[in-house]
């Protein structure tokens, strides 16, 4: 196994900070964080979404993600269930034949930017951070690639760049954090033609959601998804059908992720403090194996070269001997031919002379 220098140094850095990280994670799990006072969020109204995929297109553009195989105007992709991946931060799924619905329903899926993120609570190197504006951001420079965040997330959002062998990253919706810092709207919110997405302070979005539910009680369920699920999320959803009909989990409860993980995270300082020694040993073993492999490869190459040279020399000697033999045989043939021709010529001369002697004078 080959370990890059960058990855190894990242591990050592993470391990050196292990004690502090473990205490912070443990302490955070002891209290329920209700969110920053002016934290931002988005309210998604499932009754308004028309499944146009404009939000997907905007997300792809503002985040400079790879272009999809099929254009965003191709709505045939809605025929199957999709989830976010390393090249797609948000997707829209269509739900047919939902009880109580007059037609197909749609749901936008992206990172929910939890108030107390499970990904952050599971990450012992603090690659994930909850910002005061509501966004959960990721720092690839400290990530060690353990992918605990992927396991911890109850919404199955973080994905991994498996196609990048040396510099893989965890990929997910950033809440358009760079745009928020400039005072701009998230790309998906800005482009939505049906106003299915409403952006603003989370506390105000909750008021808007309650007002809609109160004004149209026959249109909406009396529940705001994300208000309390897993301690609360920045992305909120209201719907006219049970959320499970839109593929959303209804078994998450209201306990925030750090409260659920604090017992497991309490052992992180002990484990992390052993990492420098452990990783140094792993690195040394890796280097030893690579050295042995290089030496074995060099020996094999040298042996193959020597064998090839010996075979070439033997073939050359054999060829030279054969050539010499053929040359001698050719000379012998030419000499014999010359002698035969000379003997024949002499015989002809003798015959001619004898004939001349027999003529009368």
């Amino acid at each position: 196994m080959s370990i890059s220098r960058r990855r190894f140094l990242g591990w050592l850095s993470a391990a050196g900070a292990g004690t502090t990280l473990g205490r912070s994670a443990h302490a955070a799990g002891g209290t329920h964080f209700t969110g920053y006072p002016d934290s931002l969020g988005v309210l998604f109204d499932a009754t308004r979404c028309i499944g146009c995929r404009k939000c997907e297109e905007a997300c792809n553009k503002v985040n400079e993600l790879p272009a999809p195989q099929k254009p965003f105007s191709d709505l045939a992709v809605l025929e199957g269930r999709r989830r976010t991946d390393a090249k797609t931060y948000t997707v829209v799924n269509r739900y047919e034949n939902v009880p109580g619905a007059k037609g197909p329903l749609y749901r936008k899926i992206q990172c929910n930017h939890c108030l107390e993120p499970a990904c952050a609570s599971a990450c012992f190197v603090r690659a994930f951070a909850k910002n005061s504006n509501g966004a959960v951001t990721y720092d690839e420079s400290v990530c060690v690639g353990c992918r605990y965040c992927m396991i911890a997330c109850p919404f199955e959002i973080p994905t991994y760049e498996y196609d990048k062998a040396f510099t893989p990253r965890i990929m997910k919706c950033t809440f358009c954090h760079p745009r928020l810092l400039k005072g701009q709207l998230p790309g998906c919110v800005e482009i939505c033609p049906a106003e299915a997405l409403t952006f603003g302070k989370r506390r105000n979005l909750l008021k808007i959601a309650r007002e809609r539910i109160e004004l149209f009680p026959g249109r909406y369920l009396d529940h705001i998804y994300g208000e309390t699920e897993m301690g609360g999320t920045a992305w909120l959803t209201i719907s006219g059908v049970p959320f499970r009909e839109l593929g959303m989990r209804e078994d998450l409860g209201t306990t925030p992720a750090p409260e659920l993980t604090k017992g497991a995270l309490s052992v992180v300082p002990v484990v992390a403090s052993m990492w420098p020694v452990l990783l140094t040993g792993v690195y040394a073993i890796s280097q030893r194996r690579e050295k042995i492999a290089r030496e074995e490869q060099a020996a094999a190459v040298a042996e193959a070269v020597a064998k090839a040279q010996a075979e070439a020399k033997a073939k050359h000697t054999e060829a030279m001997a054969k050539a010499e033999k053929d040359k001698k045989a050719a000379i012998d043939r030419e000499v014999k031919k010359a002698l035969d021709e000379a003997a024949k010529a002499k015989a002809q001369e003798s015959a001619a002379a004898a004939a001349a002697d027999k003529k009368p004078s």
Side-chain angles (χ1 to χ4, degrees):
M1 177 184 68
S2 178
I3 303 173
S4 70
R5 180 175 181 272
R6 171 189 168 191
R7 177 56 54 82
F8 179 67
L9 293 177
W11 285 352
L12 288 181
S13 175
T19 304
T20 301
L21 296 177
R23 282 199 294 267
S24 297
H26 180 79
T31 58
H32 173 40
F33 176 62
T34 57
Y36 293 100
D38 294 324
S39 177
L40 301 172
V42 174
L43 172 63
F44 171 65
D45 190 334
T47 69
R48 296 185 178 186
C49 183
I50 59 175
C52 64
R53 299 186 66 204
K54 290 292 184 181
C55 56
E56 294 186 32
E57 183 176 5
C59 178
N60 178 273
K61 182 178 179 180
V62 301
N63 289 290
E64 299 180 348
L65 298 172
Q69 294 182 348
K70 296 182 179 180
F72 291 104
S73 58
D74 186 354
L75 301 184
V77 299
L78 298 176
E79 296 175 1
R81 291 288 184 272
R82 297 181 298 150
R83 60 157 294 177
T84 59
D85 56 38
K87 297 178 177 61
T88 311
Y89 287 172
T90 187
V91 297
V92 174
N93 278 341
R94 181 171 63 199
Y95 302 86
E96 304 274 8
N97 303 317
V98 178
K102 297 180 180 179
L105 297 177
Y106 303 90
R107 177 170 74 98
K108 180 181 181 299
I109 303 171
Q110 73 296 304
C111 175
N112 289 313
H113 297 275
C114 305
L115 301 186
E116 294 188 81
C119 56
S121 68
C123 182
F124 57 86
V125 295
R126 289 183 176 175
F128 289 93
K130 179 68 175 180
N131 294 268
S132 60
N133 61 9
V136 176
T137 54
Y138 165 74
D139 183 356
E140 64 180 270
S141 67
V142 298
C143 179
V144 299
C146 67
R147 285 163 280 177
Y148 289 161
C149 54
M150 296 173 61
I151 299 173
C153 179
F155 303 107
E156 299 181 347
I157 292 299
T159 56
Y160 194 67
E161 289 183 313
Y162 289 102
D163 59 339
K164 294 188 177 182
F166 299 105
T167 58
R169 298 169 295 173
I170 295 294
M171 305 295 280
K172 74 172 192 67
C173 161
T174 66
F175 206 171
C176 286
H177 184 60
R179 291 173 62 87
L180 297 186
L181 296 178
K182 298 177 182 178
Q184 299 175 318
L185 293 172
C188 57
V189 176
E190 186 175 62
I191 202 173
C192 182
E195 297 185 351
L197 301 172
T198 304
F199 176 79
K201 292 183 178 179
R202 185 176 183 272
R203 63 171 183 268
N204 294 335
L205 296 177
L206 289 170
K207 292 178 182 179
I208 293 173
R210 292 192 185 97
E211 288 176 358
R212 290 186 189 178
I213 293 172
E214 291 175 2
L215 288 174
F216 306 99
R219 183 175 183 177
Y220 298 100
L221 292 180
D222 188 11
H223 182 68
I224 305 171
Y225 194 97
E227 180 177 15
T228 58
E229 277 77 9
M230 292 298 295
T233 61
W235 280 74
L236 307 168
T237 303
I238 52 177
S239 168
V241 299
F243 295 100
R244 63 178 177 274
E245 299 292 347
L246 300 179
M248 302 172 72
R249 294 184 60 178
E250 295 183 337
D251 61 340
L252 297 177
T254 61
T255 304
E259 185 67 22
L260 298 173
T261 59
K262 65 180 182 179
L265 289 176
S266 64
V267 302
V268 168
V270 177
V271 175
S273 64
M274 297 170 60
W275 271 40
V277 176
L278 174 62
L279 292 177
T280 300
V282 171
Y283 185 71
I285 292 173
S286 173
Q287 293 300 302
R288 175 62 177 168
R289 286 180 177 175
E290 291 180 359
K291 181 180 178 181
I292 293 174
R294 288 194 298 269
E295 292 175 349
E296 290 178 347
Q297 184 179 21
V301 170
E303 182 180 354
V305 171
K307 183 178 180 181
Q309 290 177 341
E311 291 177 352
K313 185 177 180 180
K315 288 181 179 179
H316 177 71
T317 301
E318 182 181 352
M320 291 297 292
K322 185 176 183 300
E324 187 65 27
K325 183 178 180 181
D326 292 342
K327 180 180 178 181
K328 186 176 183 302
I331 292 174
D332 290 343
R333 284 195 301 272
E334 292 299 323
V335 170
K336 184 176 183 300
K337 180 179 178 182
L339 292 174
D340 290 344
E341 289 178 352
K344 184 177 179 181
K346 186 176 181 180
Q348 290 175 346
E349 289 177 359
S350 298
D357 290 341
K358 289 182 181 181
K359 290 181 180 181
S361 54

